[in-house]
Amino acid sequence: TSTDSAGLLDSVIPHYARRGQAAPLPARRFGSGLLSVQHLLLLLQLGRLRARSGDGFVLAIEEPEVHVPPALQRRLVNRVQSLAKQTVASTHSPLVAGFADPEGVLILRNRDGALRADALLPRGLIATMPNAIRKLFQLQRVETIAALMHGVLLVPEGRTDSDWLRLVVRAVDLHQDWSDFDSCRFDSTVGVVPTSDGAVVASTNALSRLHPAIVAMVDGDAAGRRYASELAAMERSECKAILTWPDGWTIEDVIGWVLSAGPTDLLAGTELGDATSINELVDKLKSTNRATGGLKSDLHSYELIANMIGETPRCRERARILLNAIAEEALGVDSGMFADHGGDPSIRVLLV
């Protein structure tokens, strides 16, 4: 060594060994995750000693998810919260943020140069809060926080719409290459809210204080037109724009339109309720009657169709163009695929 204390400490290397293991391994042979956990465990031990003596213990921790597998993240966060009088954690992980109570989660955002911190749920759950909104902040808290971390927040009409969007985005992303032409920008720009059925207006209103750029998406049927009118009556600070499918269309018609770009024998040999044509498949996707082959909310069939879109170049290309158009419209850019509807520039309808 260099004969001083620093040199001596530099030469001392901790070793780790499993119980019964013959030869321990030096710590530097392990990943940085183990060292991060080691430091945290030492702090927790300090916290245990202070808690045992009745002293206070406040812990500030930065991104506890780094290098720690998801199975241990909850255990570590809960252990920290059980020891400390107060815990302050910064994170980019919706999973870690979702471990905390909704009133304890602060969404940090730079709005026009000013940093704001808004509580996910400032007053907790109140008795008059609709179940659809309770789900956003409780059962679906992780998904909601993940959506809030995007530049634009998309609130679809219902859960089926959000499920389809996520599946189609994944199908397109799994098959894109590195060229700019083939790039799908939707998932890096737009966060999809897990909206409950029929709660698009209530969800938009509840989330408007947490995000400056909210875009709603509704069907082209009678219910969708009613939602669009209610959303258009909101202040522009609550809902920047409303995107709608063509008149009479629902998300199932959109999926059928994407599939129609493929070859005529696209459905041959599939397990999709014996559908022999795209139109027949769309009808089955809209039906909940399992006895007649209805596929509404059948996630297995949804995944089969999404995989089909991803593996069929022309279908994948149409889906990619549609997703990029939604992203552009959400950012306030005219994509050329949507047009003003009924004279209201805040309502944009898909052109097919």
Side-chain angles (χ1 to χ4, degrees):
T1 74
S2 55
T3 72
D4 59 1
S5 57
L8 178 61
L9 290 175
D10 287 340
S11 68
V12 177
I13 302 173
H15 286 63
Y16 297 97
R18 289 182 178 273
R19 185 171 299 172
Q21 182 177 331
L25 295 177
R28 64 180 56 174
R29 292 292 184 180
F30 290 87
S32 56
L34 180 62
L35 300 180
S36 298
V37 173
Q38 172 187 272
H39 295 156
L40 181 57
L41 291 176
L42 289 173
L43 286 174
L44 291 180
Q45 182 64 16
L46 175 62
R48 288 180 60 190
L49 295 174
R50 291 188 61 84
R52 187 178 300 170
S53 61
D55 296 322
F57 178 62
V58 176
L59 180 63
I61 183 171
E62 183 179 10
E63 299 187 349
E65 71 274 10
V66 175
H67 307 304
V68 180
L72 290 180
Q73 289 175 10
R74 180 185 294 274
R75 185 175 182 182
L76 284 174
V77 172
N78 289 342
R79 185 70 61 87
V80 168
Q81 290 179 331
S82 68
L83 287 175
K85 296 286 186 180
Q86 184 182 34
T87 305
V88 180
S90 65
T91 180
H92 287 94
S93 168
L95 182 62
V96 170
F99 294 154
D101 293 330
E103 56 267 31
V105 178
L106 297 180
I107 307 295
L108 297 180
R109 196 176 304 278
N110 185 336
R111 295 195 182 186
D112 300 324
L115 184 64
R116 287 187 50 172
D118 298 301
L120 187 64
L121 198 61
R123 295 183 299 276
L125 296 173
I126 58 178
T128 57
M129 184 177 290
N131 282 337
I133 306 305
R134 289 172 176 265
K135 288 181 180 179
L136 286 179
F137 298 121
Q138 285 284 35
L139 296 178
Q140 299 160 341
R141 182 158 65 247
V142 174
E143 295 173 85
T144 300
I145 294 173
L148 286 167
M149 289 183 174
H150 289 73
V152 177
L153 197 64
L154 180 67
V155 185
E157 183 170 321
R159 184 68 200 213
T160 300
D161 303 74
S162 62
D163 287 342
W164 269 121
L165 285 172
R166 287 192 179 90
L167 287 170
V168 173
V169 167
R170 186 183 68 180
V172 172
D173 283 350
L174 285 175
H175 293 85
Q176 64 181 341
D177 59 25
W178 290 96
S179 65
D180 291 338
F181 175 78
D182 196 40
S183 175
C184 182
R185 300 177 294 278
F186 182 93
D187 202 32
S188 60
T189 304
V190 181
V192 180
V193 176
T195 320
S196 295
D197 292 339
V200 59
V201 177
S203 297
T204 301
N205 184 57
L207 296 170
S208 60
R209 63 180 180 80
L210 295 171
H211 204 290
I214 295 184
V215 174
M217 175 171 284
V218 298
D219 294 337
D221 57 11
R225 288 194 294 271
R226 184 176 70 254
Y227 294 140
S229 298
E230 294 178 22
L231 290 163
M234 289 183 175
E235 296 182 8
R236 289 281 69 82
S237 60
E238 297 180 3
C239 186
K240 296 294 184 182
I242 303 104
L243 304 180
T244 76
W245 304 128
D247 287 345
W249 276 32
T250 61
I251 187 65
E252 291 83 6
D253 294 288
V254 178
I255 297 301
W257 174 69
V258 171
L259 291 173
S260 66
T264 56
D265 60 346
L266 182 63
L267 300 181
T270 63
E271 306 173 14
L272 299 171
D274 299 325
T276 58
S277 68
I278 300 298
N279 289 337
E280 186 179 354
L281 176 60
V282 170
D283 290 338
K284 291 181 180 296
L285 289 173
K286 293 180 178 181
S287 173
T288 58
N289 189 343
R290 295 292 188 265
T292 58
L295 299 175
K296 185 81 171 182
S297 300
D298 184 343
L299 294 181
H300 174 66
S301 296
Y302 287 7
E303 289 183 356
L304 289 177
I305 294 172
N307 291 338
M308 188 186 306
I309 291 173
E311 294 168 358
T312 308
R314 282 180 289 177
C315 295
R316 184 172 68 249
E317 174 66 7
R318 178 169 287 185
R320 184 188 64 80
I321 292 174
L322 173 62
L323 292 172
N324 281 341
I326 294 174
E328 290 171 2
E329 295 287 336
L331 292 170
V333 178
D334 186 357
S335 66
M337 289 192 64
F338 287 80
D340 293 350
H341 183 66
D344 189 339
S346 67
I347 301 178
R348 304 274 289 170
V349 61
L350 177 67
L351 303 174
V352 293

